[in-house]
Amino acid sequence: MSYELHIVDAFTNERFKGNPAAVCLLEQPQPESWLQQVASEMNLSETAFIVPRPDGYDLRWFTPVGEVDLCGHATLATAHVLWESGKLPPDQMASFMTKSGRLTARRDGAWIVMDFPAEPPEAAIAPEELVQGLGLIPRYAGRNRMDYFVEVDSEETLRTLRPDFAMLARVEARGVIVTSRSTGSPYDFVSRAFYPATGIDEDPVTGSAHCALAPYWAKRLRKDELVGYQASQRGGIVKVKPDGDRVYLSGQAVTVLKGQLEG
């Protein structure tokens, strides 16, 4: 048996930029062990698996080593595939049932706008493994249900970070989001995201991290709509708009591969 498989670069309009995700289209649910084997074979930050349902799609995300509760770039990639392949009309909203509830995506010109839960950080004491792993004392440290959240003193500090990933892997969280206000660029804030405990030392562009970044910087900068740049080696742009307990994340996507996965 074979399954339709796409690889899409998300949060970019250029191939080989942004964050690559694999999207596997299934007709019916498959065993979790098989899903994990496929994700390990793809060896990308996330592989998304979708199964049709009467009111949309069931959507699950797997890293090379395990399932995650929330993933922005693979959701963006999945919506892009559904429209590009003609499985959804261009004007129809994509609706996904996930471990984080119902998520939706709609097209807005060249951009895709996703409706995600807000995940604002609450002030927390940075554990020693976090301080040693980053090699600095945070300006601010916080925590949400998934990640630690750290603000540093400048964009230069953020861009030149050389984390100790073995130490960060010992932090009891999914990962660590590091951010600063942007200086001298068209972006409001910049960020990087590290997930060594889930098999990804540095994620290229992390949609779910912006569920924390959006409410944090909206409050700090007193702006309703912001543009963030994730300053990884590949880089990517995420537009954000907090709305109560939700966040609208906007990004672009481009397909780099279409094929068949032999099951």
Side-chain angles (χ1 to χ4, degrees):
M1 193 169 188
S2 61
Y3 306 92
E4 190 174 337
L5 181 73
H6 302 247
I7 294 180
V8 174
D9 288 341
F11 293 117
T12 181
N13 60 1
E14 297 180 63
R15 289 179 177 83
F16 316 124
K17 299 287 187 180
N19 200 352
V23 180
C24 185
L25 281 61
L26 305 174
E27 294 181 3
Q28 58 189 17
Q30 299 295 323
E32 186 170 313
S33 59
W34 182 85
L35 301 179
Q36 186 60 69
Q37 287 177 322
V38 173
S40 298
E41 184 76 9
M42 294 299 100
N43 199 33
L44 298 172
S45 295
E46 264 88 13
T47 298
F49 299 91
I50 58 169
V51 179
R53 53 184 287 155
D55 57 349
Y57 295 87
D58 286 318
L59 172 61
R60 297 175 74 176
W61 312 279
F62 286 77
T63 77
V65 300
E67 187 170 13
V68 296
D69 290 340
L70 187 63
C71 179
H73 86 280
T75 304
L76 181 72
T78 301
H80 170 78
V81 166
L82 290 173
W83 288 313
E84 185 180 63
S85 66
K87 291 176 174 57
L88 280 182
D91 59 349
Q92 183 173 333
M93 182 177 68
S95 179
F96 305 109
M97 287 306 301
T98 77
K99 285 195 168 187
S100 291
R102 181 173 178 264
L103 308 176
T104 63
R106 60 178 175 82
R107 296 182 68 171
D108 182 12
W111 294 75
I112 295 172
V113 183
M114 302 183 295
D115 182 351
F116 267 48
E119 302 282 355
E122 296 184 1
I125 296 174
E128 188 62 25
E129 294 86 353
L130 176 59
V131 174
Q132 290 188 25
L134 294 178
L136 53 77
I137 303 296
R139 169 176 284 187
Y140 168 89
R143 180 80 156 84
N144 63 16
R145 69 184 176 98
M146 298 178 291
D147 303 317
Y148 272 97
F149 183 101
V150 168
E151 183 187 351
V152 296
D153 60 0
S154 70
E155 182 172 344
E156 181 182 5
T157 296
L158 179 136
R159 287 179 177 269
T160 57
L161 271 180
R162 297 294 181 266
D164 180 337
F165 294 118
M167 186 63 71
L168 288 185
R170 296 169 56 186
V171 175
E172 294 185 3
R174 181 186 69 161
V176 178
I177 304 163
V178 183
T179 187
S180 76
R181 188 169 181 169
S182 181
T183 54
S185 76
Y187 312 112
D188 295 292
F189 61 88
V190 292
S191 65
R192 293 172 69 186
F194 309 110
Y195 299 100
T198 63
I200 306 297
D201 283 347
E202 179 166 5
D203 196 37
V205 195
T206 315
S208 61
H210 287 76
C211 295
L213 291 160
Y216 181 81
W217 284 112
K219 183 177 180 180
R220 285 285 310 277
L221 301 180
R222 298 182 181 180
K223 296 182 70 173
D224 295 330
E225 299 183 36
L226 305 96
V227 180
Y229 179 74
Q230 194 153 329
S232 66
Q233 184 175 356
R234 293 174 63 103
I237 299 169
V238 186
K239 295 180 180 179
V240 299
K241 181 180 180 181
D243 184 14
D245 63 354
R246 308 296 294 180
V247 174
Y248 295 103
L249 307 176
S250 299
Q252 296 176 283
V254 57
T255 299
V256 295
L257 183 148
K258 301 177 184 179
Q260 296 292 321
L261 173 68
E262 298 301 324

